[in-house]
Amino acid sequence: MPDLVLRGGLLCDGTGAPPRRADVVVDAGRVLSVDARGVRADRELDVGGLVVAPGFIDVHTHYDAQLTWDPLLTPSCWHGVTSVVVGNCGFALAPCAPERRERLLRMLEHVEGMPWAALRDGVEWSWESVPEYLAMLRARPRALNVGVLLGHSSLRIHVLGDEAYARPATDDEVSAMASLVREGMRAGALGFATSASTGHVGEGGRPVPSRAATRDELRALVHAMAEGGQGILEITPQTFPIAADELAFLQELAAASGRPVSFSAVLDLPDRDGVWEPLFAAVRDGHARGARVFPQVSCRPMRFDFDLEVGCASLDAIPAWRRFRAASGLRARLDLLRDSGFRAEVRAAALGRPESPSRRRWDALVLEESGQAQHARLLGRSLQDVARERGGDAIDALLDLAAEDGLAARFSMVLMNDDEQRVAALLREPESLIALSDAGAHVAILCDAGYATHLLGHWTRERGVFTLEEAVRRLSSMPADVYGIPGRGRLVPGAVADVTCFDPTRVAMRPPERVRDLPGGATRYVARAEGIEHVLVAGREVVCGGEPTGELPGTLLVPGAPAGAAA
């Protein structure tokens, strides 16, 4: 008798085929049948009124540290995600010699916004090499499946030491890194990740090590990855929007290696209509020539919350603001905020011209939280609105509100991806890989781990951008196919029974909330899901009604393993 039957649901099997009523039969962790009716099993789960879909695959997370202390990988598990990929942008925890552990964690702290207290107290080191790291992942129980990308910056630090930040690698050093890439791929890595982005800076403002690499170095490491006929290159390009010559280079890598490339990110840019059409035309032309490049697209507005005590990246980029960050103690910082000369410097850098996008962005910033009673009527209002009432401009409003609340007032800012018409056009592009949750990173300012429920609720049910079956395909079989994850992403006989059951009339991402549940007492933003009723990994239910069941069946995702095989 089979182990389980999911009875009476509306099956969206991940292939893009129209939904149909079907009973899904599961045995020994795999899908046994999706067409049989009346089959009995040891356990029956009534899923009438729910959509039965493959578990969602989040290919752009930064759970590298969190997975060492959190077996559930919250909040992703709440949103129907059953598989995650780590090591993105070239930031990974292996290889790493013991004497370089703190330096590597400091890089994650600065470039990916992970609280130092959580990294320091939470990561339990038991590895040095990539194979040892993958062995740890195989042995450590957790709810979700994890795939690993080899991190370029981590490899450079391991081989070049501190010089990794400053110079190109020699031929011998490239050869040493290529050997480590081959070793990691043989051990079960999904691919290789890197970053050339000027926005990626680590401790002390230094560019992350991968930014010092030449194209020849990257080319050699990608070919080392591809030697076994497996793997994907994930990259954050140097230019944003990506320049034509950089896209052509990625297409050259894809064609020459025979492996796909995925880059991040494609986002709606304020006042930049038409900027992405030539990109997608070039991407489609590349696909026709065998150069499979997939832009990563977010379905969420790029919104983040901040207070001046913790920091704001947009302010930190202003040279004058360094005086604030360097000021010692609350009193010194408050005095600086009230200084008219300091304000003038910040205002000139932040607001720019009267009609500039920068000015409009600061005007639209919203006061979200304050402990001051006199601010209660200002909550939820824009700085432009506050400035009209209180006098001054958006920078005056920001600095006044922050000072009056002892720097604890919290604000929200939307940088991009908020024009719904343009975002919808990006999502509809067939080559767009819907991703960019960044789950596990930037936890003090945002949480987009619920991108899947947001896609199903907002973009599919409310906006009608996708049919239900296409939305499910974009969250399941498409990322599985692009990243070479076999046996996942479809509910067909023989596939691993990673399943998400959701109510299509309610599914949504709830607003983010702040919790203090990280190691070391650090806080983070999390977002709960609405309408996700059952989440199964390899046929075992890990979430029921939004709560964990205690089951920990997750495994290491290994490219090329046959459907249903244990890694």
Side-chain angles (χ1 to χ4, degrees):
M1 182 177 291
D3 296 332
L4 173 69
V5 60
L6 303 168
R7 195 173 305 283
L10 183 68
L11 176 65
C12 275
D13 64 12
T15 67
R20 65 188 190 277
R21 297 288 171 188
D23 294 343
V24 178
V25 183
V26 176
D27 191 53
R30 294 190 293 173
V31 176
L32 188 62
S33 171
V34 294
D35 294 314
R37 291 296 182 99
V39 173
R40 313 308 298 177
D42 291 336
R43 181 187 176 211
E44 295 196 6
L45 196 59
D46 182 0
V47 291
L50 303 180
V51 172
V52 179
F56 308 138
I57 299 172
D58 187 348
V59 298
H60 197 115
T61 81
H62 291 279
Y63 279 132
D64 306 70
Q66 185 178 328
L67 61 81
T68 69
W69 69 71
D70 176 14
L72 298 177
L73 291 184
T74 58
S76 290
C77 65
W78 301 330
H79 292 272
V81 171
T82 56
S83 296
V84 302
V85 177
V86 301
N88 282 282
C89 308
F91 310 129
L93 291 181
C96 184
E99 66 271 17
R100 295 199 176 101
R101 288 172 177 171
E102 180 173 342
R103 179 58 56 84
L104 195 62
L105 293 182
R106 288 291 185 184
M107 182 174 67
L108 294 180
E109 175 196 16
H110 288 273
V111 74
E112 291 298 341
M114 301 178 186
W116 171 247
L119 295 171
R120 178 196 62 211
D121 296 348
V123 177
E124 298 179 3
W125 294 92
S126 61
W127 65 88
E128 179 172 343
S129 69
V130 170
E132 289 168 347
Y133 179 71
L134 298 179
M136 178 276 294
L137 292 179
R138 285 186 173 94
R140 186 166 297 189
R142 66 186 167 278
L144 307 187
N145 309 307
V146 175
V148 174
L149 299 173
L150 302 168
H152 193 183
S153 282
S154 306
L155 288 166
R156 290 189 113 249
I157 293 171
H158 193 70
V159 172
L160 281 72
D162 280 347
E163 292 188 21
Y165 291 86
R167 64 170 176 83
T170 66
D171 290 346
D172 287 344
E173 288 164 341
V174 172
S175 179
M177 284 188 282
S179 294
L180 292 173
V181 169
R182 295 184 190 98
E183 177 186 63
M185 292 302 296
R186 287 194 299 268
L190 284 180
F192 176 77
T194 189
S195 172
S197 171
T198 55
H200 279 157
V201 294
E203 185 181 6
R206 293 193 299 177
V208 296
S210 59
R211 287 177 55 189
T214 65
R215 286 187 174 182
D216 284 342
E217 176 183 325
L218 180 56
R219 187 180 290 109
L221 298 182
V222 169
H223 282 281
M225 174 202 76
E227 284 179 5
Q230 297 171 346
I232 182 171
L233 169 65
E234 186 275 337
I235 183 171
T236 305
Q238 180 179 12
T239 51
F240 179 78
I242 188 170
D245 72 306
E246 194 166 13
L247 175 61
F249 172 64
L250 298 184
Q251 290 175 319
E252 173 208 319
L253 285 176
S257 68
R259 305 308 308 155
V261 173
S262 179
F263 75 87
S264 59
V266 169
L267 298 165
D268 162 50
L269 298 168
D271 304 310
R272 295 290 295 275
D273 282 322
V275 69
W276 294 117
E277 281 83 348
L279 165 78
F280 281 100
V283 166
R284 283 189 289 274
D285 178 67
H287 277 241
R289 295 182 283 106
R292 299 175 63 233
V293 174
F294 296 89
Q296 292 187 19
V297 176
S298 174
C299 66
R300 297 272 305 155
M302 182 170 276
R303 172 191 183 272
F304 66 90
D305 288 33
F306 68 93
D307 58 54
L308 297 194
E309 182 177 19
V310 174
C312 168
S314 294
L315 287 172
D316 290 343
I318 296 173
W321 195 254
R322 294 171 190 163
R323 291 164 54 198
F324 176 83
R325 303 304 299 168
S328 178
L330 177 61
R331 180 176 295 276
R333 287 185 166 188
L334 293 179
D335 287 344
L336 197 57
L337 292 187
R338 298 184 181 104
D339 182 86
S340 59
F342 175 74
R343 286 192 176 210
E345 290 183 67
V346 174
R347 179 182 297 109
L351 299 185
R353 300 182 308 277
E355 297 303 319
S356 70
S358 174
R359 179 178 289 269
R360 290 195 291 275
R361 186 175 72 223
W362 287 102
D363 282 345
L365 196 145
V366 171
L367 176 65
E368 298 288 350
E369 299 177 23
S370 174
Q372 301 300 303
Q374 69 267 30
H375 292 170
R377 61 188 179 80
L378 303 177
L379 295 178
R381 293 168 64 181
S382 71
L383 292 192
Q384 183 181 55
D385 191 20
V386 173
R388 286 195 186 110
E389 179 176 316
R390 298 178 52 153
D393 55 30
I395 294 301
D396 290 315
L398 171 67
L399 302 188
D400 285 341
L401 292 170
E404 290 163 11
D405 198 31
L407 305 186
R410 293 191 67 82
F411 306 87
S412 66
M413 172 182 281
V414 177
L415 290 177
M416 57 188 83
N417 230 45
D418 60 334
D419 184 299
E420 295 230 324
Q421 184 174 353
R422 292 203 295 257
V423 174
L426 294 177
L427 295 174
R428 288 190 183 101
E429 293 286 355
E431 298 81 13
S432 289
L433 187 60
I434 299 172
L436 296 173
S437 81
D438 259 359
H442 313 297
V443 296
I445 59 174
L446 59 82
C447 177
D448 284 341
Y451 78 104
T453 46
H454 185 71
L455 185 81
L456 293 168
H458 179 74
W459 291 109
T460 303
R461 181 183 63 245
E462 296 173 7
R463 294 294 309 276
V465 169
F466 294 119
T467 62
L468 188 58
E469 60 267 28
E470 176 62 9
V472 168
R473 186 188 73 84
R474 300 290 283 270
L475 294 170
S476 55
S477 66
M478 182 175 180
D481 292 348
V482 172
Y483 274 67
I485 304 172
R488 264 89 181 177
R490 294 172 176 82
L491 291 182
V492 296
V496 178
D498 293 348
V499 186
T500 293
C501 303
F502 63 90
D503 182 345
T505 68
R506 295 191 300 116
V507 65
M509 173 182 166
R510 294 179 185 172
E513 57 185 286
R514 253 193 315 171
V515 298
R516 187 180 293 273
D517 66 352
L518 292 179
T523 61
R524 63 170 176 155
Y525 275 94
V526 299
R528 287 277 185 173
E530 188 74 34
I532 299 290
E533 298 300 327
H534 307 281
V535 181
L536 289 76
V537 173
R540 293 160 59 185
E541 191 167 18
V542 298
V543 173
C544 178
E547 297 300 325
T549 65
E551 292 277 4
L552 301 173
T555 191
L556 180 70
L557 296 173
V558 176

